[in-house]
Each structure stands twice: as structure tokens, then as C-alpha cells.
């Protein structure tokens, strides 16, 4: 399965930072994996313009479940698509924590985004307390059940396993722990969607640990936060995935 290196710029980046995108495209013009960057909404059109005619895809970091209306500050899936996005991250743990997003809300957003033609990267992951209590697979299982709507389309679904305690901390689960969760996810998803769903690992992926993570079974790429901001770092991750 072709890998996906997805970068999430979060609330970082102004137009000056598009220089990093130019550098990335120069160094990785024909990677052996798919590459996606999800900038803040303010940069989406500009980044999509910079990516035109290249292998880089751009995506949003969230969308509203409604197509339009009185929702100050929100952006709809159609608006993301109109700005040049082909993907959207949904249910990121920072959205779940900062904006109280529940599994049901995430599922509604998945429905809206897929209807707008976007590929949805649905994020799930346990807290450190859940892991310490041996509840990781229970939590992951219920998040995946609740966050995927009945109408979810296999061709527009990517799932990202992101342990909350590993995001931005420099800590990662052991390779065995990552492999265990990804095998569990594959078993959960395959009966419903087939074996083609890409499963990304996210949480402190860096050029230095990417290769060993990508060598694991059922790891089909990464969702990368901090290390996606700099072309040299993200490029190292793209190179590792291309070689996997
Ligand atoms: C993320 O926010 O999805 C993420 C994985 O962040 P980082 O790579 O910085 O841990």
C-alpha cells in the first residue's frame, strides 16, 4: 500500500513559511509516497497554489458539519475544497480537548467532508491514564466505532492513531505497542472497509525514529505535527516512508 506522509501545521505559519513548501518540493519532487500538508485555513489557498502541478496535496485541519450558515469562525468542507483542499483532518485530540468534540460530532463532520469530496483523516488515541490502566484498545475501539458514520466511504477514509501523551512531547509508545494498536485497528476496520484503509501513526514522529515506525506491519504512514514545519525534517520523514 502506498504510504501517506501527512503534516499538520496546527496554528503555525504565515505566508513567509511557504518558503518551506518550496524547499520541500525542490528536494522531494517525486516521492515514493503520498505527501499532504494541512496548514491553517488562512494559508490553504496560497499553499494549494504553490502545490499546483506537483505531487503535494493540501488539506484542512477541521471543518464544520454544516455546509453553510450562522457559525462564526467556522469553515465548511465545501469551503476547504473550494480553497484547494483534497483532505481534512477530523477529530484531532486538540480539537476534542479544546473544542469539546465528541465522537458523534466527529462522525457528522466525516459525513459532511466526504460528501464534499474530501478524504477524511480521522484521529483517535488514548490518554496516558488510559494506557496505564490497560484501557488503550477499549478506548480506541469505542472511538473508532463512534467517529465513523454509517455512510463512511472506504475510499475517503484514513485513520490516524495518535496517543495523546505522545503528541508534541518527544515520547512515543514502544514499537510493540504501536504494532499492537495498528493490528487491532486493521482487524476492526477490515470487515467493514476491506484491507485498503491507510493507518497512520502520529505522535512525535521525527526523521530519527520514522524508519523503525514505518517498518511495522499495518503502519502506512504518519501524521506529523512539529516535524512537518521544516522542509528538512519533513523531508527526512518522507524519505523514510519512501524507502519503507
Ligand atoms: C499531531 O499533532 O498530530 C502530532 C502528531 O504532533 P507531533 O508530531 O508534534 O507530536
Amino acid at each position: 500500500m502506498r504510504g501517506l506522509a501527512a503534516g499538520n501545521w496546527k496554528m503555525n505559519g504565515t505566508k513567509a513559511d511557504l518558503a518551506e513548501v518550496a524547499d520541500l518540493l525542490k528536494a522531494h519532487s517525486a516521492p515514493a509516497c503520498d505527501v499532504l500538508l494541512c496548514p491553517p485555513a488562512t494559508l490553504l489557498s496560497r499553499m494549494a497554489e504553490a502545490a499546483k502541478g506537483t505531487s503535494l496535496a493540501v488539506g484542512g485541519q477541521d471543518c464544520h458539519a454544516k455546509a453553510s450558515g450562522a457559525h462564526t469562525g467556522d469553515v465548511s468542507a465545501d469551503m476547504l475544497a473550494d480553497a484547494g483542499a483534497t483532505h481534512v483532518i477530523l477529530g484531532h485530540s486538540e480539537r476534542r480537548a479544546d473544542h469539546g468534540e465528541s465522537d458523534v460530532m466527529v462522525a457528522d463532520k466525516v459525513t459532511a467532508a466526504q460528501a464534499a469530496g474530501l478524504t477524511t483523516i480521522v484521529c483517535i488515541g488514548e490518554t496516558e491514564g488510559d494506557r496505564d490502566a490497560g484501557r488503550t484498545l477499549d478506548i480506541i475501539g469505542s472511538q473508532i466505532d463512534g467517529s465513523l458514520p454509517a455512510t463512511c466511504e472506504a475510499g475517503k477514509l484514513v485513520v490516524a492513531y495518535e496517543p495523546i501523551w505522545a503528541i508534541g512531547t518527544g515520547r512515543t509508545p514502544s514499537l510493540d505497542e504501536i504494532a499492537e494498536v495498528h493490528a487491532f485497528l486493521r482487524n476492526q476496520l477490515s470487515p467493514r472497509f476491506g484491507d485498503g484503509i491507510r493507518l497512520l501513526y502520529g505522535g512525535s514522529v521525527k526523521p530519527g525514529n520514522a524508519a523503525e515506525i514505518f517498518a511495522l506491519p499495518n503502519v502506512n504512514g504518519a501524521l506529523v505535527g512539529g516535524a512537518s514545519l521544516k522542509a528538512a525534517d519533513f523531508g527526512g520523514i518522507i524519505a523514510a516512508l519512501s524507502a519503507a
Side-chain angles (χ1 to χ4, degrees), residues 8 10 92 162 166-168 202-204 223-226:
N8 173 12
K10 310 192 185 189
H92 190 282
E162 299 205 301
I167 293 177
S204 297
L223 181 54
V224 182

Side-chain angles (χ1 to χ4, degrees), residues 18 103 128 159 164 169 171 229:
L18 294 175
D103 289 340
E128 188 159 27
V159 172
I164 295 168
T169 60
R171 299 165 58 210
L229 292 168

Side-chain angles (χ1 to χ4, degrees), residues 109-199:
K109 291 178 179 208
V110 172
T111 300
Q114 293 189 345
L118 300 177
T119 295
T120 51
I121 301 177
V122 177
C123 302
I124 52 173
E126 82 285 3
T127 65
E128 188 159 27
D130 293 329
R131 179 159 283 281
D132 290 346
R135 287 172 38 80
T136 298
L137 298 184
D138 288 346
I139 295 291
I140 300 294
S142 85
Q143 285 178 335
I144 205 76
D145 281 350
S147 302
L148 302 184
T151 55
C152 190
E153 298 175 51
K156 293 180 185 149
L157 177 64
V158 175
V159 172
Y161 167 54
E162 299 205 301
I164 295 168
W165 53 273
I167 293 177
T169 60
R171 299 165 58 210
T172 58
S174 70
L175 295 175
D176 284 349
E177 287 169 339
I178 296 173
E180 180 191 31
V181 173
H182 279 243
F184 174 80
L185 284 171
R186 182 68 71 213
N187 287 337
Q188 293 287 112
L189 293 168
S190 287
R192 186 171 162 196
F193 297 107
D195 292 333
I197 304 298
R198 289 195 282 196
L199 304 179

Side-chain angles (χ1 to χ4, degrees), residues 60-88:
Q61 298 175 9
D62 175 53
C63 70
H64 198 279
K66 295 259 162 55
S68 62
H71 302 287
T72 303
D74 279 313
V75 172
S76 74
D78 284 320
M79 291 169 179
L80 293 179
D82 183 55
T86 52
H87 293 66
V88 62

